[in-house]
Tab-separated table of all heavy atoms in Angstrom:
chain	number	residue	atom	x	y	z
A	1	LEU	N	138.942	93.665	60.110
A	1	LEU	CA	138.664	92.398	60.781
A	1	LEU	C	139.007	92.491	62.259
A	1	LEU	O	138.258	92.029	63.128
A	1	LEU	CB	139.479	91.260	60.149
A	1	LEU	CG	139.232	90.890	58.687
A	1	LEU	CD1	139.968	89.596	58.366
A	1	LEU	CD2	137.758	90.766	58.376
A	2	GLU	N	140.165	93.105	62.552
A	2	GLU	CA	140.620	93.180	63.929
A	2	GLU	C	139.674	94.027	64.777
A	2	GLU	O	139.338	93.651	65.909
A	2	GLU	CB	142.040	93.766	63.979
A	2	GLU	CG	143.106	92.888	63.369
A	2	GLU	CD	143.236	93.024	61.857
A	2	GLU	OE1	142.440	93.770	61.241
A	2	GLU	OE2	144.125	92.391	61.269
A	3	GLN	N	139.226	95.149	64.249
A	3	GLN	CA	138.324	96.006	65.019
A	3	GLN	C	136.991	95.315	65.262
A	3	GLN	O	136.388	95.464	66.339
A	3	GLN	CB	138.101	97.335	64.292
A	3	GLN	CG	137.288	98.346	65.099
A	3	GLN	CD	137.937	98.668	66.432
A	3	GLN	OE1	139.105	99.060	66.485
A	3	GLN	NE2	137.200	98.499	67.520
A	4	PHE	N	136.517	94.544	64.303
A	4	PHE	CA	135.265	93.815	64.488
A	4	PHE	C	135.418	92.766	65.586
A	4	PHE	O	134.536	92.596	66.434
A	4	PHE	CB	134.837	93.168	63.172
A	4	PHE	CG	133.478	92.523	63.221
A	4	PHE	CD1	132.368	93.228	63.651
A	4	PHE	CD2	133.313	91.197	62.845
A	4	PHE	CE1	131.105	92.626	63.704
A	4	PHE	CE2	132.062	90.589	62.895
A	4	PHE	CZ	130.961	91.307	63.324
A	5	ALA	N	136.558	92.051	65.595
A	5	ALA	CA	136.814	91.078	66.659
A	5	ALA	C	136.887	91.767	68.017
A	5	ALA	O	136.375	91.261	69.023
A	5	ALA	CB	138.105	90.316	66.372
A	6	ILE	N	137.511	92.946	68.055
A	6	ILE	CA	137.588	93.716	69.299
A	6	ILE	C	136.194	94.133	69.757
A	6	ILE	O	135.853	94.039	70.944
A	6	ILE	CB	138.491	94.947	69.101
A	6	ILE	CG1	139.952	94.522	68.936
A	6	ILE	CG2	138.349	95.931	70.260
A	6	ILE	CD1	140.867	95.624	68.472
A	7	ASP	N	135.363	94.582	68.821
A	7	ASP	CA	133.990	94.992	69.161
A	7	ASP	C	133.213	93.839	69.792
A	7	ASP	O	132.471	94.030	70.757
A	7	ASP	CB	133.257	95.475	67.906
A	7	ASP	CG	133.783	96.809	67.389
A	7	ASP	OD1	134.525	97.482	68.123
A	7	ASP	OD2	133.450	97.161	66.240
A	8	ILE	N	133.380	92.638	69.240
A	8	ILE	CA	132.675	91.473	69.771
A	8	ILE	C	133.151	91.169	71.193
A	8	ILE	O	132.339	90.963	72.110
A	8	ILE	CB	132.882	90.254	68.849
A	8	ILE	CG1	132.214	90.494	67.486
A	8	ILE	CG2	132.313	88.989	69.498
A	8	ILE	CD1	132.555	89.445	66.441
A	9	CYS	N	134.476	91.155	71.391
A	9	CYS	CA	135.009	90.874	72.727
A	9	CYS	C	134.515	91.900	73.738
A	9	CYS	O	134.080	91.553	74.853
A	9	CYS	CB	136.540	90.868	72.682
A	9	CYS	SG	137.264	89.406	71.915
A	10	LYS	N	134.586	93.164	73.367
A	10	LYS	CA	134.173	94.216	74.299
A	10	LYS	C	132.691	94.113	74.630
A	10	LYS	O	132.280	94.362	75.780
A	10	LYS	CB	134.503	95.585	73.709
A	10	LYS	CG	135.982	95.930	73.739
A	10	LYS	CD	136.244	97.343	73.244
A	10	LYS	CE	137.702	97.722	73.409
A	10	LYS	NZ	137.969	99.107	72.908
A	11	HIS	N	131.871	93.744	73.652
A	11	HIS	CA	130.433	93.638	73.900
A	11	HIS	C	130.148	92.575	74.959
A	11	HIS	O	129.385	92.816	75.906
A	11	HIS	CB	129.686	93.300	72.614
A	11	HIS	CG	128.210	93.140	72.815
A	11	HIS	ND1	127.331	94.202	72.753
A	11	HIS	CD2	127.450	92.043	73.114
A	11	HIS	CE1	126.106	93.767	73.004
A	11	HIS	NE2	126.157	92.457	73.219
A	12	PHE	N	130.751	91.403	74.819
A	12	PHE	CA	130.472	90.337	75.775
A	12	PHE	C	131.039	90.659	77.155
A	12	PHE	O	130.424	90.326	78.178
A	12	PHE	CB	131.016	89.005	75.254
A	12	PHE	CG	130.138	88.374	74.216
A	12	PHE	CD1	130.414	88.507	72.868
A	12	PHE	CD2	129.004	87.661	74.586
A	12	PHE	CE1	129.593	87.934	71.903
A	12	PHE	CE2	128.166	87.089	73.631
A	12	PHE	CZ	128.463	87.235	72.289
A	13	MET	N	132.198	91.320	77.197
A	13	MET	CA	132.790	91.657	78.486
A	13	MET	C	131.992	92.734	79.226
A	13	MET	O	131.871	92.709	80.446
A	13	MET	CB	134.235	92.128	78.295
A	13	MET	CG	135.241	91.003	78.271
A	13	MET	SD	135.282	90.114	79.849
A	13	MET	CE	136.364	88.762	79.448
A	14	THR	N	131.451	93.688	78.481
A	14	THR	CA	130.750	94.794	79.126
A	14	THR	C	129.273	94.523	79.351
A	14	THR	O	128.636	95.186	80.175
A	14	THR	CB	130.893	96.078	78.290
A	14	THR	OG1	130.397	95.849	76.966
A	14	THR	CG2	132.347	96.510	78.205
A	15	THR	N	128.714	93.549	78.663
A	15	THR	CA	127.273	93.281	78.740
A	15	THR	C	126.942	92.167	79.727
A	15	THR	O	125.902	92.215	80.390
A	15	THR	CB	126.719	92.919	77.354
A	15	THR	OG1	127.056	93.948	76.422
A	15	THR	CG2	125.201	92.757	77.395
A	16	PHE	N	127.806	91.168	79.844
A	16	PHE	CA	127.493	89.977	80.636
A	16	PHE	C	128.518	89.822	81.755
A	16	PHE	O	129.683	89.491	81.489
A	16	PHE	CB	127.492	88.726	79.747
A	16	PHE	CG	126.552	88.807	78.575
A	16	PHE	CD1	127.020	89.120	77.307
A	16	PHE	CD2	125.195	88.575	78.742
A	16	PHE	CE1	126.163	89.198	76.221
A	16	PHE	CE2	124.324	88.643	77.665
A	16	PHE	CZ	124.800	88.972	76.407
A	17	CYS	N	128.079	90.016	82.992
A	17	CYS	CA	129.000	89.919	84.125
A	17	CYS	C	129.461	88.486	84.374
A	17	CYS	O	130.475	88.255	85.050
A	17	CYS	CB	128.378	90.502	85.391
A	17	CYS	SG	126.862	89.675	85.909
A	18	GLN	N	128.747	87.493	83.843
A	18	GLN	CA	129.130	86.095	84.051
A	18	GLN	C	130.197	85.614	83.084
A	18	GLN	O	130.672	84.481	83.190
A	18	GLN	CB	127.897	85.183	83.955
A	18	GLN	CG	127.305	85.011	82.554
A	18	GLN	CD	126.181	85.983	82.268
A	18	GLN	OE1	126.288	87.146	82.628
A	18	GLN	NE2	125.109	85.504	81.652
A	19	VAL	N	130.604	86.455	82.136
A	19	VAL	CA	131.634	86.067	81.168
A	19	VAL	C	133.011	86.358	81.767
A	19	VAL	O	133.325	87.500	82.102
A	19	VAL	CB	131.452	86.814	79.835
A	19	VAL	CG1	132.638	86.540	78.910
A	19	VAL	CG2	130.160	86.380	79.161
A	20	ALA	N	133.832	85.311	81.907
A	20	ALA	CA	135.183	85.456	82.446
A	20	ALA	C	136.233	85.587	81.352
A	20	ALA	O	137.313	86.128	81.577
A	20	ALA	CB	135.521	84.256	83.333
A	21	TYR	N	135.918	85.060	80.160
A	21	TYR	CA	136.891	85.054	79.066
A	21	TYR	C	136.132	84.972	77.754
A	21	TYR	O	135.121	84.265	77.651
A	21	TYR	CB	137.825	83.844	79.205
A	21	TYR	CG	138.701	83.556	78.012
A	21	TYR	CD1	139.909	84.223	77.821
A	21	TYR	CD2	138.333	82.583	77.067
A	21	TYR	CE1	140.716	83.935	76.730
A	21	TYR	CE2	139.136	82.295	75.975
A	21	TYR	CZ	140.331	82.973	75.815
A	21	TYR	OH	141.133	82.691	74.734
A	22	VAL	N	136.610	85.713	76.763
A	22	VAL	CA	136.001	85.667	75.444
A	22	VAL	C	137.110	85.639	74.392
A	22	VAL	O	138.137	86.314	74.533
A	22	VAL	CB	135.049	86.859	75.203
A	22	VAL	CG1	135.763	88.188	75.387
A	22	VAL	CG2	134.422	86.784	73.800
A	23	LYS	N	136.892	84.833	73.371
A	23	LYS	CA	137.829	84.752	72.253
A	23	LYS	C	137.041	84.746	70.960
A	23	LYS	O	136.083	83.979	70.829
A	23	LYS	CB	138.695	83.496	72.349
A	23	LYS	CG	139.701	83.337	71.211
A	23	LYS	CD	140.567	82.115	71.413
A	23	LYS	CE	141.617	81.961	70.315
A	23	LYS	NZ	142.480	80.777	70.544
A	24	THR	N	137.448	85.581	70.032
A	24	THR	CA	136.760	85.680	68.749
A	24	THR	C	137.761	85.523	67.609
A	24	THR	O	138.820	86.151	67.612
A	24	THR	CB	136.030	87.025	68.610
A	24	THR	OG1	134.943	87.073	69.528
A	24	THR	CG2	135.478	87.204	67.206
A	25	TYR	N	137.397	84.681	66.659
A	25	TYR	CA	138.188	84.461	65.451
A	25	TYR	C	137.369	84.944	64.263
A	25	TYR	O	136.179	84.623	64.144
A	25	TYR	CB	138.503	82.966	65.302
A	25	TYR	CG	139.122	82.577	63.980
A	25	TYR	CD1	140.497	82.572	63.808
A	25	TYR	CD2	138.328	82.201	62.895
A	25	TYR	CE1	141.067	82.205	62.596
A	25	TYR	CE2	138.886	81.833	61.684
A	25	TYR	CZ	140.253	81.835	61.542
A	25	TYR	OH	140.813	81.477	60.342
A	26	VAL	N	137.996	85.713	63.380
A	26	VAL	CA	137.324	86.229	62.187
A	26	VAL	C	138.216	85.983	60.983
A	26	VAL	O	139.401	86.338	60.996
A	26	VAL	CB	137.024	87.746	62.295
A	26	VAL	CG1	136.210	88.211	61.086
A	26	VAL	CG2	136.303	88.081	63.591
A	27	GLN	N	137.662	85.389	59.931
A	27	GLN	CA	138.402	85.256	58.681
A	27	GLN	C	137.565	85.788	57.529
A	27	GLN	O	136.338	85.785	57.577
A	27	GLN	CB	138.828	83.816	58.413
A	27	GLN	CG	137.722	82.873	57.989
A	27	GLN	CD	138.251	81.486	57.631
A	27	GLN	OE1	139.163	80.982	58.270
A	27	GLN	NE2	137.681	80.878	56.599
A	28	GLU	N	138.257	86.263	56.506
A	28	GLU	CA	137.607	86.990	55.416
A	28	GLU	C	137.650	86.174	54.128
A	28	GLU	O	138.665	85.553	53.800
A	28	GLU	CB	138.326	88.325	55.206
A	28	GLU	CG	137.748	89.191	54.112
A	28	GLU	CD	138.473	90.518	53.964
A	28	GLU	OE1	139.539	90.689	54.597
A	28	GLU	OE2	137.988	91.379	53.207
A	29	VAL	N	136.558	86.165	53.396
A	29	VAL	CA	136.540	85.611	52.042
A	29	VAL	C	137.252	86.609	51.124
A	29	VAL	O	136.959	87.805	51.162
A	29	VAL	CB	135.090	85.371	51.561
A	29	VAL	CG1	135.080	84.875	50.120
A	29	VAL	CG2	134.378	84.375	52.480
A	30	PRO	N	138.222	86.150	50.311
A	30	PRO	CA	139.068	87.093	49.556
A	30	PRO	C	138.403	87.687	48.309
A	30	PRO	O	138.797	87.418	47.166
A	30	PRO	CB	140.287	86.234	49.195
A	30	PRO	CG	139.740	84.846	49.094
A	30	PRO	CD	138.678	84.748	50.149
A	31	TRP	N	137.383	88.505	48.531
A	31	TRP	CA	136.769	89.238	47.415
A	31	TRP	C	137.638	90.440	47.055
A	31	TRP	O	138.090	91.180	47.927
A	31	TRP	CB	135.379	89.736	47.797
A	31	TRP	CG	134.342	88.658	47.929
A	31	TRP	CD1	133.758	88.209	49.075
A	31	TRP	CD2	133.757	87.905	46.858
A	31	TRP	NE1	132.853	87.207	48.795
A	31	TRP	CE2	132.832	87.000	47.442
A	31	TRP	CE3	133.927	87.895	45.478
A	31	TRP	CZ2	132.082	86.110	46.692
A	31	TRP	CZ3	133.186	86.997	44.730
A	31	TRP	CH2	132.279	86.126	45.337
A	32	GLN	N	137.853	90.652	45.767
A	32	GLN	CA	138.568	91.830	45.268
A	32	GLN	C	137.716	92.523	44.219
A	32	GLN	O	137.015	91.877	43.437
A	32	GLN	CB	139.920	91.444	44.665
A	32	GLN	CG	140.915	90.906	45.674
A	32	GLN	CD	142.268	90.596	45.049
A	32	GLN	OE1	142.560	91.013	43.913
A	32	GLN	NE2	143.109	89.877	45.769
A	33	ARG	N	137.787	93.838	44.210
A	33	ARG	CA	137.000	94.612	43.250
A	33	ARG	C	137.468	94.340	41.822
A	33	ARG	O	138.665	94.288	41.535
A	33	ARG	CB	137.117	96.110	43.563
A	33	ARG	CG	136.150	96.978	42.774
A	33	ARG	CD	136.248	98.440	43.192
A	33	ARG	NE	135.900	98.602	44.596
A	33	ARG	CZ	134.643	98.673	45.057
A	33	ARG	NH1	133.628	98.598	44.209
A	33	ARG	NH2	134.416	98.832	46.338
A	34	LEU	N	136.520	94.139	40.920
A	34	LEU	CA	136.845	93.954	39.510
A	34	LEU	C	137.344	95.264	38.901
A	34	LEU	O	136.887	96.350	39.279
A	34	LEU	CB	135.616	93.490	38.721
A	34	LEU	CG	135.283	91.994	38.734
A	34	LEU	CD1	134.004	91.761	37.942
A	34	LEU	CD2	136.422	91.186	38.132
A	35	HIS	N	138.274	95.130	37.970
A	35	HIS	CA	138.761	96.285	37.202
A	35	HIS	C	138.586	95.985	35.719
A	35	HIS	O	138.869	94.870	35.266
A	35	HIS	CB	140.231	96.567	37.502
A	35	HIS	CG	140.474	97.153	38.853
A	35	HIS	ND1	140.316	96.431	40.026
A	35	HIS	CD2	140.845	98.414	39.231
A	35	HIS	CE1	140.605	97.209	41.059
A	35	HIS	NE2	140.923	98.410	40.595
A	36	GLU	N	138.110	96.956	34.982
A	36	GLU	CA	137.971	96.838	33.537
A	36	GLU	C	138.782	97.944	32.876
A	36	GLU	O	138.495	99.132	33.074
A	36	GLU	CB	136.499	96.930	33.132
A	36	GLU	CG	135.645	95.774	33.665
A	36	GLU	CD	134.199	95.853	33.197
A	36	GLU	OE1	133.925	96.689	32.309
A	36	GLU	OE2	133.358	95.100	33.726
A	37	ASN	N	139.812	97.526	32.152
A	37	ASN	CA	140.736	98.490	31.524
A	37	ASN	C	141.306	99.451	32.552
A	37	ASN	O	141.456	100.653	32.298
A	37	ASN	CB	140.029	99.262	30.405
A	37	ASN	CG	139.539	98.357	29.295
A	37	ASN	OD1	140.216	97.398	28.919
A	37	ASN	ND2	138.345	98.629	28.772
A	38	GLY	N	141.608	98.905	33.738
A	38	GLY	CA	142.204	99.717	34.788
A	38	GLY	C	141.220	100.523	35.605
A	38	GLY	O	141.614	101.197	36.553
A	39	VAL	N	139.940	100.464	35.259
A	39	VAL	CA	138.930	101.240	35.967
A	39	VAL	C	138.214	100.338	36.979
A	39	VAL	O	137.667	99.300	36.602
A	39	VAL	CB	137.898	101.842	34.981
A	39	VAL	CG1	136.835	102.626	35.733
A	39	VAL	CG2	138.617	102.734	33.960
A	40	PRO	N	138.200	100.705	38.278
A	40	PRO	CA	137.525	99.867	39.269
A	40	PRO	C	136.017	99.887	39.085
A	40	PRO	O	135.408	100.946	38.895
A	40	PRO	CB	137.937	100.500	40.612
A	40	PRO	CG	138.308	101.912	40.278
A	40	PRO	CD	138.867	101.878	38.895
A	41	HIS	N	135.413	98.705	39.131
A	41	HIS	CA	133.962	98.585	38.996
A	41	HIS	C	133.289	99.021	40.288
A	41	HIS	O	133.805	98.800	41.383
A	41	HIS	CB	133.592	97.141	38.657
A	41	HIS	CG	132.256	97.003	38.007
A	41	HIS	ND1	131.074	97.133	38.699
A	41	HIS	CD2	131.911	96.745	36.719
A	41	HIS	CE1	130.062	96.960	37.871
A	41	HIS	NE2	130.535	96.720	36.652
A	42	VAL	N	132.116	99.634	40.167
A	42	VAL	CA	131.458	100.187	41.353
A	42	VAL	C	130.792	99.112	42.216
A	42	VAL	O	130.622	99.301	43.427
A	42	VAL	CB	130.423	101.271	40.975
A	42	VAL	CG1	131.119	102.493	40.445
A	42	VAL	CG2	129.393	100.722	39.996
């Protein structure tokens, strides 16, 4: 999540000279991989 937020900030700073400040918030939906009898589902 953090690297994606960094990528967004860097893109706007390096692409648009009129941007003085950028802030990006990213939150994740808590998906977890299913396990069946201890085996992770693909």
Side-chain angles (χ1 to χ4, degrees):
L1 297 190
E2 293 84 357
Q3 186 58 54
F4 187 53
I6 290 169
D7 290 347
I8 294 171
C9 285
K10 286 185 174 179
H11 178 88
F12 281 98
M13 274 297 173
T14 57
T15 306
F16 304 100
C17 60
Q18 71 266 42
V19 172
Y21 169 84
V22 57
K23 180 177 182 179
T24 292
Y25 171 90
V26 185
Q27 73 175 38
E28 181 179 9
V29 176
W31 289 109
Q32 294 183 14
R33 190 176 298 279
L34 277 178
H35 288 70
E36 296 183 10
N37 299 321
V39 179
H41 202 286
V42 291

